[in-house]
Amino acid sequence: MGHKIFSILLVVLNGSCQAKAEVELKGELKKWHRVEISFEGPDTGEMDENKPFLNYRLDVTFENQGKSYTVPGFYAADGNAAETSTDSGNIWKVRFSPDEIGEWSYSASFKKGGNIAIENTPNAESAGFMDGQQGIFTIADTDKTGKDNRAKGRLNYVGKSYLRFAETGDYFIKLGVDAPENLLDYEDFDASTNALGFRKNWQPHAKDFGADAEEFVWKDNKGKNLLGAINYLAIEELNCYGATHINSPHLDRLASEGTLFSRAYCNVPVCGASRASILTGARPTRYRFIDYKTKKEVDMPRAIGLPMTFKNNGYTTISNGKVYHHESDDKMAWDEIWRPRGNIRDYLLEENVQLNARKGKRGAAYEAANVNDTAYFDGKIANKGIKDLERLKDGGKPFFLALGFMKPHLPFNAPTKYWDMYDIKNIRLPENYQRPVTIPSEAYHNSGELRSYDAIPKEGDLSKEAAMNLIHGYYASVSYVDAQIGRVLQVLKNLGLAENTIVVLWGDHGYNLAEHKMWCKHCTFETSMRAPLLVKVPGITTGKKSEAITEFIDIYPSLCELAGIEPPVELEGKSFVPLLQGKTREKDYAISKFKDAVALIKGDLFYTEWVDDKGEAYARMLFDHSNDPLELDNLAEKEEFATTVASLSEALHANWGKDFLIDVNGQAE
């Protein structure tokens, strides 16, 4: 690994994009029961020129002890189109009923090309995303009996008039009003008693009824819903119901060439402390890396930071934009430090400039200006990075170039064209826009960072209009910074540097967009802790996704291993290079801390303790993401989870770091 000298390009997002969801596997994982796997693929729609049903092809191969089945997948829009009626999204699914117990593996093939869905094209172009995605699941024997048909096995066509169950050999005969074929069991046809509630009404398709079908309705204007359903199946143009996904083609392209860590977690969900932790490879403690004002030189002055390690090994080190939170922090580690100049919140509209100039005040929380990309800071940071690459190309030394982009941090400022990529009518509040009473009050905050901006109320819920505008601005900011990253990566390629440069992109923390009625970060819900981490290593990464739990203190030792540099012995993270190589590693947890809250992420369990100076817990929170991914049901105080809580608490205390309860002067508590 250490024989080839790589240059390093760090791309840091301020405020971070919300990390994309990982592969989702649903079902009871039992013989003959349906297993459904959902993948995140390209964001597209039924009316896109590059039609998802025709120009993409998903095939998933399932294998078990010599048996192999290749099952075609399908485009599923937002993953719940049957309920939402939407025609766009980025979810692709495959369904399979395993016919053996034991361990099954799956491997996804995702290709693109003209008419590929209906043609065999052996050498088709990879579509990226889940192409090559692999996984394993274990199937138990079915526990169904009696009339539950899953006890009888898969239905097979055996050349007879009826299908036959593979397990029992019985024939399948479907009768009754709930038979799918029974179109006449429709409320405008059938006046009999609806005893079992099976009668259909086709209500979701009322909106699809066309005025040109008026002549076909019958007595008392009946039949409109059914005719709407038929119209829905026949028309070529459908309404768009919620294209809320982020437009980020350049980040998607980077992911298709690198490794995307779908379960990467920051160690502190606040910008200054998170950056100091990442760049020193050290965990936060009760007295170190506390808030946005954190300075590495104050909290860990003797630590050798990541840029200094590379500088000491012959690299040219350059910091552009916001890398450490404070421009002068760890300044001896850099050959050059540069930041764009101007009002710190980068307003361009005069109204906001004037509002921001008032002492102790800020302008609006978002801004759309009809300007080109380089008018805002991130366009300038990209320009500076491009100029650096052009002069570093012939510099004769490897480089460690860090680009700290300002977005998508508040205020959400971006050129108008990026706002225009999204229709605010399609933006929705998150599903977990609520605060369950079972969750401790310590888990919530008042979104104080947002409250300091003009026109934002100091207390209470935001208006729906304000919330939609903020989410709209966040999306626009992500697409804007995506375009700037794309410009830099294109120049890296054009200069012939891409094949000898490791690219690492991370966001310093996650972000709340009204989840649990909160905004920004500053908590230990997953939305604040989970953040993007993309790593591209020439000759190693190939567009795969790692589902292994990773934390940001793992970045420092990983880059040292990739560059063949001996890391400082004090580092608390563990290299994720084995994961880049498609292997496994022993470490399987992450720990994140904000103020008194310390969270352990292990498997599907997210456990938080609020502790005092002695490390004793005074509040707890536990979520099981296997059945509560929205984090609405706190299990920590339920008697049946007492053993689980005790085990997680022990693991948390054992791994939160040997210095966790030691103050800044080294005095043990």
Side-chain angles (χ1 to χ4, degrees):
M1 291 295 300
H3 296 296
K4 183 174 181 180
I5 298 178
F6 287 106
S7 291
I8 308 292
L9 174 61
L10 296 185
V11 182
V12 184
L13 303 181
N14 189 26
S16 177
C17 316
Q18 287 185 315
K20 294 185 176 181
E22 60 194 275
V23 172
E24 183 179 12
L25 190 149
K26 289 184 177 180
E28 292 188 57
L29 299 183
K30 294 173 182 176
K31 184 179 179 182
W32 301 120
H33 295 219
R34 188 176 74 183
V35 174
E36 179 181 274
I37 303 178
S38 299
F39 301 92
E40 287 192 348
D43 197 346
T44 182
E46 294 177 12
M47 298 310 301
D48 282 12
E49 182 177 350
N50 197 21
K51 295 186 181 298
F53 298 117
L54 189 62
N55 298 330
Y56 289 97
R57 181 171 181 151
L58 172 62
D59 292 301
V60 181
T61 300
F62 296 87
E63 295 183 339
N64 168 278
Q65 298 180 0
K67 285 191 173 184
S68 179
Y69 299 98
T70 297
V71 182
F74 59 94
Y75 173 62
D78 65 351
N80 191 31
E83 297 295 331
T84 65
S85 296
T86 189
D87 65 350
S88 62
N90 71 335
I91 303 302
W92 303 69
K93 294 186 177 184
V94 65
R95 291 168 178 167
F96 174 63
S97 297
D99 57 0
E100 297 289 348
I101 63 173
E103 184 176 278
W104 284 81
S105 65
Y106 68 85
S107 177
S109 169
F110 189 50
K111 308 298 182 184
K112 62 182 179 180
N115 297 329
I116 191 173
I118 57 175
E119 296 179 355
N120 288 321
T121 311
N123 298 317
E125 178 185 358
S126 170
F129 296 93
M130 58 279 201
D131 189 34
Q133 175 72 48
Q134 298 178 340
I136 294 173
F137 56 91
T138 301
I139 295 297
D141 204 356
T142 182
D143 59 353
K144 304 305 179 185
T145 59
K147 295 182 179 181
D148 192 317
N149 288 333
R150 286 173 294 182
K152 301 177 182 180
R154 184 187 299 120
L155 285 171
N156 292 330
Y157 177 69
V158 292
K160 304 288 185 180
S161 299
Y162 298 100
L163 301 177
R164 194 172 190 177
F165 289 107
E167 185 81 12
T168 65
D170 297 339
Y171 285 105
F172 173 72
I173 301 175
K174 181 68 173 173
L175 300 171
V177 296
D178 61 329
E181 303 86 352
N182 195 348
L183 177 68
L184 296 182
D185 185 47
Y186 166 59
E187 61 181 14
D188 285 350
F189 285 140
D190 189 351
S192 62
T193 302
N194 189 20
L196 298 177
F198 288 129
R199 187 181 300 151
K200 303 169 181 67
N201 60 32
W202 306 110
Q203 180 59 41
H205 288 288
K207 64 185 183 311
D208 296 316
F209 177 78
D212 56 351
E214 288 283 358
E215 62 182 293
F216 300 110
V217 300
W218 50 94
K219 184 181 178 180
D220 298 327
N221 216 27
K222 291 182 177 181
K224 281 192 171 184
N225 295 349
L226 175 61
L227 292 170
I230 296 170
N231 189 47
Y232 171 81
L233 295 173
I235 61 176
E236 293 184 0
E237 293 188 2
L238 300 174
N239 295 324
C240 180
Y241 298 97
T244 59
H245 296 285
I246 297 291
N247 185 335
S248 56
H250 305 289
L251 295 181
D252 295 342
R253 188 173 300 114
L254 178 61
S256 73
E257 299 171 349
T259 293
L260 184 152
F261 289 90
S262 61
R263 300 197 66 189
Y265 299 91
C266 70
N267 294 101
V268 198
V270 59
C271 52
S274 179
R275 292 160 187 264
S277 174
I278 293 168
L279 294 172
T280 58
R283 293 190 181 282
T285 72
R286 284 191 64 76
Y287 305 98
R288 179 175 73 207
F289 306 157
I290 302 300
D291 54 27
Y292 78 94
K293 300 187 296 293
T294 293
K295 285 187 176 182
K296 178 263 180 191
E297 289 184 347
V298 172
D299 283 14
M300 292 194 75
R302 292 184 293 276
I304 302 173
L306 178 60
M308 180 60 82
T309 289
F310 277 82
K311 184 177 182 179
N312 290 342
N313 281 272
Y315 282 68
T316 298
T317 57
I318 300 175
S319 170
N320 290 328
K322 184 179 176 182
V323 182
Y324 280 106
H325 183 76
H326 299 275
E327 184 175 357
S328 61
D329 200 8
D330 203 19
K331 62 183 179 181
M332 298 305 295
W334 304 101
D335 292 307
E336 181 183 334
I337 300 175
W338 176 89
R339 285 192 183 184
R341 300 304 172 194
N343 69 78
I344 191 172
R345 294 182 184 91
D346 199 19
Y347 292 117
L348 295 180
L349 299 181
E350 185 60 29
E351 178 183 1
N352 285 327
V353 172
Q354 293 300 323
L355 286 170
N356 194 60
R358 298 174 300 168
K359 185 176 181 181
K361 301 293 184 180
R362 298 184 182 184
Y366 49 84
E367 176 182 279
N370 189 18
V371 296
N372 59 36
D373 285 12
T374 56
Y376 284 113
F377 284 164
D378 282 349
K380 294 178 171 65
I381 293 169
N383 280 355
K384 175 60 164 56
I386 288 169
K387 290 179 180 178
D388 288 338
L389 288 173
E390 291 170 343
R391 63 186 174 91
L392 289 168
K393 179 180 184 296
D394 300 317
K397 292 174 62 178
F399 57 81
F400 183 98
L401 174 61
L403 301 178
F405 291 100
M406 302 294 187
K407 296 304 166 200
H409 195 284
L410 281 168
F412 301 139
N413 300 343
T416 305
K417 65 180 179 181
Y418 296 103
W419 287 76
D420 292 344
M421 289 180 177
Y422 305 96
D423 186 345
I424 196 169
K425 294 178 182 178
N426 297 325
I427 294 174
R428 301 287 184 270
L429 288 172
E431 292 182 66
N432 55 351
Y433 183 70
Q434 56 182 288
R435 292 188 172 185
V437 295
T438 60
I439 294 175
S441 60
E442 290 86 351
Y444 301 125
H445 59 66
N446 190 41
S447 307
E449 182 180 3
L450 175 63
R451 305 281 184 187
S452 61
Y453 285 87
D454 187 67
I456 302 296
K458 300 303 180 184
E459 299 287 342
D461 297 341
L462 273 62
S463 68
K464 184 176 181 180
E465 179 184 10
M468 297 303 100
N469 284 329
L470 283 166
I471 297 173
H472 192 178
Y474 179 89
Y475 289 176
S477 296
V478 173
S479 293
Y480 169 53
V481 76
D482 171 79
Q484 309 321 303
I485 293 168
R487 292 201 295 127
V488 175
L489 294 178
Q490 187 60 51
V491 170
L492 186 75
K493 181 178 180 181
N494 294 346
L495 293 173
L497 295 171
E499 294 310 310
N500 203 39
T501 302
I502 297 169
V503 179
V504 183
L505 179 144
W506 76 69
D508 51 1
H509 46 71
Y511 214 82
N512 298 302
L513 293 173
E515 292 88 356
H516 296 98
K517 295 191 174 184
M518 292 194 297
W519 299 86
C520 309
K521 53 272 189 185
H522 307 131
C523 65
T524 57
F525 291 109
E526 191 191 27
T527 43
S528 268
M529 299 185 294
R530 187 173 174 224
L533 176 59
L534 298 172
V535 182
K536 176 178 177 284
V537 185
I540 297 179
T541 58
T542 57
K544 301 293 178 65
K545 180 184 290 187
S546 173
E547 300 177 9
I549 295 173
T550 311
E551 52 185 346
F552 279 3
I553 57 171
D554 296 337
I555 294 173
Y556 192 155
S558 302
L559 284 179
C560 287
E561 181 175 347
L562 289 167
I565 293 173
E566 189 68 27
V569 296
E570 298 85 5
L571 299 186
E572 294 186 81
K574 299 295 182 183
S575 172
F576 52 60
V577 170
L579 303 177
L580 299 177
Q581 298 169 330
K583 303 175 184 177
T584 59
R585 66 171 186 172
E586 183 178 352
K587 182 180 178 183
D588 63 352
Y589 65 89
I591 293 175
S592 188
K593 172 192 174 293
F594 183 70
K595 296 188 176 178
D596 282 1
V598 197
L600 171 71
I601 301 103
K602 189 174 177 63
D604 289 322
L605 301 178
F606 286 65
Y607 174 68
T608 298
E609 285 185 359
W610 283 262
V611 299
D612 59 21
D613 287 344
K614 295 181 179 180
E616 296 177 356
Y618 60 85
R620 293 180 174 87
M621 182 168 72
L622 171 63
F623 301 111
D624 182 350
H625 276 227
S626 67
N627 52 42
D628 182 26
L630 298 179
E631 298 184 328
L632 297 173
D633 184 16
N634 177 25
L635 308 175
E637 304 304 329
K638 295 184 179 182
E639 184 177 352
E640 60 267 36
F641 291 93
T643 301
T644 300
V645 167
S647 176
L648 292 171
S649 179
E650 181 179 358
L652 174 64
H653 289 238
N655 292 290
W656 64 16
K658 61 183 177 61
D659 297 334
F660 188 81
L661 297 176
I662 299 177
D663 68 18
V664 292
N665 297 314
Q667 300 299 313
E669 287 296 308

